[in-house]
Structures are given as structure tokens and as C-alpha cells.
Amino acid sequence: MAQDVHNMDQAERKLSLETATSSPVLKAVRTVPVEKAASLETLIRGSWAPNAVYSLCRLGVPDALSDDPAAATSAADLATRLQCSGPCLLRLLRLCAAYGLLVEVDHTGKDETVEEYRAAAAVGGGSSPLGPGGHAGFATRGADADGAGSSGAAAPAYGRCTAAAAVTAGPDTAAAGGAPMRCDGDGGDLVMREEAGEQLLERAGGAGSSAAAGCPPAGKAPTPADAPRRAAAPVCRERQSGFYLTDMGLMLRESHPSQMRWLSLMLGLPGHYLSRGYLYDNVKEGRMGFEAAFGCDWYTYVASHPLEGTAFDKAMTATSAAAAQTVANAYDFSRHSTVVDVGGGQGLLMTAILHNHPGVQRGYVLELPNVVAAARRLGQRGLEKLHYVEADFFKPFPVSDVDCIVMRLVLHDWPDAEAAALLRHARGALASHGSARLVVVEAVLPELVTPGVGPATVQQLEFDMGMMLMTSGRERSLSEWETLLASAGFRIEAVMGPPQVKVTFLVAAPDRP
Ligand SMILES: C[S@@+](CC[C@H](N)C(=O)[O-])C[C@H]1O[C@@H](n2cnc3c(N)ncnc32)[C@H](O)[C@@H]1O
């Protein structure tokens, strides 16, 4: 009979795997070390990071949270300001704090350690009032050491939790949908634990300690005399004063020049997030996952979804910032008089080219009408040479006799047939003199993926999945780039740039100028 591996501990699982592999029936099956199962589980579960950061940004946490540890805020206070669920926000903040990059918990307060809590509880005659885990950010001020604030506020009734529910969360917690504590008041030892974002005070066994821990027996209403006892066992005190933003978290603020917030919004909004659920359909049917999910292509979709459209355009700009300088510095655009950035987004790369190469006389950004409108609203002051041109790059370009065409992260959006069509239009727009060039800035995949490829290659392969799902596009190896470019009349002259994701660039010349 099949064993239930979910209920086995690691040793049992290993044994079971070994038994299975020594069985004559299964002898072809290799022994799999248990650690590999753990790695596989990690891979399967994946990371919550994109969704967590997206939610953080969408809620407005980076703008509401201080970056000063001294001004750390409880989740409950923050939730009140942001009008969201305190317990849920607490859990989200804890996860982000665990990721260790965006948010930290202030540990500098004077609050007691777990041991001190236990000692305090023992002095008061109770045991283990604090359950596993801290409870940072809960506004549990009802039982400060001096007893102040442990009001006999109307106790919410939770099952058998009656009188002692007077040990409630502070007033701000309630406003934030916070966590009143519950307790069984029938004489067992009391421990706190967390469940569904709430702190629970519950009976762990033993007798007679509940009152000492602050809970009168069930059915007995709290009396003023209960207050000092609650104070003696400080089950309700915050251990940590709250959360604050790290330097990296600061970059997620709306006003931060890096604009990285938009990348997290783009990746967390339905267009990107839901289409991942269609990976199977994409592979099974060869049909673009995005279209299976939304019934249209990505660019049609963003034209009628302004938040996603804006997030996409700004995310492109945000992730282009470093690359724009790299590209503008690494290739000598000053050899050309007219440069066109096809699908150039909001014009960041063209701006860098014009700044770095005063010899360039005119810079054009060819883009879809909605992107051009948004880019014009942004405005690039002092750049008279920069022109935004509405265009559909699947039609002949509205510019001609161009010295240099640059395309960054445009061709990877499209399958070979469309990419070749686009390239033919580019070929048609280039001047016929011998120095006209096409500069393609894209990732270059290895020809062969060997074991132990580095994180940059893994990232490229992940981008490849994204392209497949979102636009039927693809990342390409050098030989694939050669074939594609040749099909539109170009030959690669040079492969330049650091071997990093998306900043390798291919300089191509028309094969018959
Ligand atoms: C992946 S983004 C790259 C943007 C920019 N080159 C960069 O590096 O940040 C592709 C760009 O192609 C533009 N685009 C898509 N379809 C287009 C079309 N048919 N005609 C013109 N531009 C188009 C999109 O608006 C988008 O800005």
C-alpha cells in the first residue's frame, strides 16, 4: 500500500526511499537524498517576494513607514493610517522583515526578553505567558507594567474567553481590525500563540495559573483587582516597538528617483501575475499564456488598463536607468548624425545618448501613441534634439535615411516571424551609406545550458519564460540572433558589452548597404 509520505519525518522518509529502491520491483529507481527533496520543495514553493513587495507598495507602506529606527511603528498603527487589516499587515511586514532587505524590526526597545517574561510570570505565579514567537507590532498595551491602560474595556466574548478578554488589544488595534486576545479561563496554564494573524491566549494544561496570568476563571467578570495581576504577568506588552524601512525599502517610495516601485507594481498586477498560471496551457497548446488568460495580447491590454500601462512603462524606464548609461557610454553614437530608438519607451536611453554624444544631431523615439503621450507629459527639458514619434513598428517607419537604429528589449518581445518583419522595416529606414548601423541591446543566452550555470543565466532563462507567456517572445542565443538578423538582411559585426542580463549588444550592419 502506498505510504503517506506527508506524515513521515525525514528519517522515515529516507528509510522509505531506501527500502523502495532496494525492492526488486523498483531497483531501477535511484536513491534520492532527503536534502534533495527539501531543495525540490523550495523550488516548488518558490518565493513570495514579488507578491509581498507588490502588496507593500500598493498599500503605500514605503511612503507611510519611517526609515528612522527610533520612529519604528507598530503594524496596528500603520494599518490604521493605511486603512487595512492590522493582523494581516503584521504578517506581511514580518515576511518582508524576514527577507531582510526592505523592512526591519526595531529591537532596540527596553522590552523584556522571553526569559524575562517567563520570570515575571513565575513571580506572579503563572507559567509561560508568552508563547512562541515575538508579537512585534501588536498594539497590546492593555497591561503595561504600571497597569495603566489595562482598562476594563468591554470584553469581546470569544467562546469560553470571557472575563479575561478585558486584556484586549489597545485601542488602535481595534481600529485596525486588530487582535483582541482570547483565553480559556478554566484554570490551565496560559500561553500566547498566533493564529490567523491574531494573538491567542490559550490553555496549555496545568491548573490554577490562569488568574496569575491575568485571566480570571471562566464566567467571572473582570474586577479592578484583576488589573494588577495582569500587570504582574506582562503577557500583553509589546516586545518590539515596530517596523521601519531599510535603505532598500526607501527605493520603493513613490518619490524615489529609482522608480523601482513601478517594477513591483507591474509584476504584481494581474497581467503579469495571473498569466503565470497559464504556463501549462502555454506549453501544452503552444498558445500564449497571456492571451489564454485575458483574451487579447499584452499591448492591446495595457492600452486599456492605465495602471498596468503606466506601471509597465515606468518599470521599463526604472530598469533601463543603469543600462541606458552603459549603452550610451559603450557604443560611439557620435559617429552618427541621426539616431532612432525603436520602441524606446519614455526616452531614457535616447536622452542618455544625446547627453553623452553631442555630435548626434537628432534623436527620435518611435513608440505607440499612448506611450508617446505619456512621455511628452513627462517632458525631457533642454533636449531640443529629442523627438517622440508615434509609430507602429510593424509598418514602414515614418523616418528614413537614418544613420543608426537602436532597439533595446524590443525584439525579445516577439517570435521570429514578427521580429524579422520589424527588422525589415528597420532595414528599410536605414541610410544606404556604408556607416549606417543597427544596435540591438538584448540578452544573449548560452548555446547550451550546462549544470551549474550562474544566477545571471538562470535569470535569463526566467525572462525567457516571461516572454513566452506575455508576448510569445523569446530570449535568443548568439546563433539564433545571427539567423534572425540575417533573415532581415543584417550581419553581426560585433558583440559588445558586459556579459550581463540584457546589456549585451549586437552591432549589425546591412549586409548589402
Ligand atoms: C519591452 S519594452 C522596451 C522599452 C525600452 N526600449 C527599454 O529598453 O526600456 C518594448 C517597447 O516596445 C513598444 N512597442 C510595442 N509594440 C509596438 C509597436 N507595434 N510599435 C511601436 N512600439 C511598440 C512598447 O510600447 C514598449 O515601450
Side-chain angles (χ1 to χ4, degrees), residues 299 312 316 320 343-345 366-368 371 391-394 408-410 412-414:
Y299 286 109
F312 174 67
M316 289 302 105
S320 297
L366 262 56
E367 258 296 351
L368 292 170
V371 181
D392 174 357
F393 52 44
F394 291 117
R408 178 174 179 267
L409 302 186
V410 168
H412 80 158
D413 273 356
W414 305 99

Side-chain angles (χ1 to χ4, degrees), residues 340-364:
V340 177
D341 187 357
V342 175
Q346 298 181 324
L348 193 68
L349 174 57
M350 185 51 75
T351 304
I353 291 172
L354 291 172
H355 270 303
N356 293 13
H357 302 281
V360 177
Q361 297 304 309
R362 284 170 299 280
Y364 295 97

Side-chain angles (χ1 to χ4, degrees), residues 335-336 403 431-437 491 493 508-510 512-513:
R335 293 191 293 160
H336 306 294
D403 300 317
S432 54
H433 57 72
S435 54
R437 291 290 180 273
R491 70 189 143 73
E493 257 184 2
R512 286 181 303 280

Side-chain angles (χ1 to χ4, degrees), residues 49 74 123-124 192 197 309 347 390 407 438 453 513:
S74 76
V123 168
M192 283 212 299
E390 291 182 8
M407 289 186 209
L438 168 71
V453 289

Side-chain angles (χ1 to χ4, degrees), residues 183-395:
C183 67
D184 290 336
D186 61 354
D189 286 351
L190 291 159
V191 295
M192 283 212 299
R193 67 186 172 85
E194 192 189 339
E195 185 177 280
E198 296 184 341
Q199 285 176 317
L200 304 181
L201 193 61
E202 65 171 17
R203 190 167 68 84
S209 58
S210 64
C215 289
K220 185 173 178 288
T223 66
D226 292 323
R229 283 186 292 172
R230 286 197 296 275
V235 291
C236 300
R237 182 174 296 163
E238 281 185 75
R239 287 183 55 229
Q240 299 145 323
S241 58
F243 298 91
Y244 64 96
L245 276 182
T246 63
D247 287 352
M248 208 175 275
L250 269 174
M251 285 200 287
L252 294 173
R253 285 199 176 154
E254 198 157 4
S255 56
H256 196 275
S258 73
Q259 297 282 289
M260 288 303 281
R261 173 178 189 270
W262 293 100
L263 180 65
S264 74
L265 289 181
M266 179 190 88
L267 293 174
L269 282 164
H272 273 78
Y273 197 71
L274 293 184
S275 47
R276 288 191 182 200
Y278 287 81
L279 180 60
Y280 162 81
D281 306 71
N282 200 131
V283 175
K284 177 85 174 164
E285 294 160 22
R287 180 182 175 208
M288 192 200 325
F290 186 87
E291 200 171 70
F294 294 95
C296 64
D297 69 83
W298 165 250
Y299 286 109
T300 306
Y301 173 86
V302 288
S304 58
H305 288 76
L307 177 58
E308 298 212 44
T310 305
F312 174 67
D313 292 339
K314 293 199 173 193
M316 289 302 105
T317 300
T319 55
S320 297
Q325 282 306 327
T326 307
V327 175
N329 288 336
Y331 179 78
D332 184 11
F333 287 95
S334 56
R335 293 191 293 160
H336 306 294
S337 173
T338 311
V339 180
V340 177
D341 187 357
V342 175
Q346 298 181 324
L348 193 68
L349 174 57
M350 185 51 75
T351 304
I353 291 172
L354 291 172
H355 270 303
N356 293 13
H357 302 281
V360 177
Q361 297 304 309
R362 284 170 299 280
Y364 295 97
V365 174
L366 262 56
E367 258 296 351
L368 292 170
N370 57 317
V371 181
V372 168
R376 282 194 180 129
R377 276 197 298 277
L378 278 178
Q380 300 285 358
R381 291 204 184 85
L383 276 176
E384 292 75 27
K385 297 176 184 174
L386 174 61
H387 307 278
Y388 293 100
V389 181
E390 291 182 8
D392 174 357
F393 52 44
F394 291 117
K395 297 185 175 147

